[in-house]
Amino acid sequence: MNQPGRKTAGEQPYADLASAHRILRDDFASEWMGVRVLHVAPGEAKIEMDLRHEMLNGFGIAHGGMIFAFADTAFALACNNPNEDDGTITVASGVDVNFLRPAQSGQTITAHAKALHQGRSGVYDIEVFAQGPNDPEPIRITVFRGRSRTIPKPGSKR
């Protein structure tokens, strides 16, 4: 069985964000964060990024907003079909987030998003894990439950 925070054999990030998922073509926040997409399919996504010094809060640990934004990216990828554009978008209607443990600069964090229910309204679970170069196992740092709503794409006549 795979350990949630580890890459599986042969799992490599997509060469660039735009090739991984259509909604990442102009996602400048995910680009700035250094998000790497490991896996994406309808209803699921796995991403990773390295925590950098400018992502820390005044306590020297990962800023909660950075962890939230990272989990939210995995949520968006799981909610929206990576290839098909049917004139709708699926966006967050609400989330519950629980920060379980701190993460630190130099660690790589991984988010796994999985649909529990998809439809006009959806429910997704996203778990975030952290692992440093000397950590033997990834540590679950955040659980994020997202609720989604599918709406017409802005500017569409739908």
Side-chain angles (χ1 to χ4, degrees), residues 16-87:
D16 60 68
L17 291 179
S19 68
H21 199 294
R22 65 186 173 85
I23 69 171
L24 293 174
R25 282 185 204 116
D26 295 318
D27 186 337
F28 304 113
S30 293
E31 183 181 342
W32 176 85
M33 288 190 299
V35 169
R36 297 182 297 274
V37 178
L38 300 174
H39 171 76
V40 66
E44 60 184 77
K46 182 177 180 185
I47 61 175
E48 70 178 7
M49 78 174 187
D50 300 321
L51 286 173
R52 304 185 313 262
H53 150 267
E54 63 270 22
M55 298 174 167
L56 307 181
N57 65 19
F59 298 117
I61 58 176
H63 191 290
M66 296 305 307
I67 302 299
F68 182 96
F70 178 68
D72 189 50
T73 296
F75 177 32
L77 296 178
C79 288
N80 290 278
N81 188 298
N83 303 310
E84 294 178 21
D85 183 352
D86 66 356

Side-chain angles (χ1 to χ4, degrees), residues 106-108 130-138:
Q107 288 183 311
T108 297
Q131 187 169 17
N134 299 318
D135 297 332
E137 301 295 327

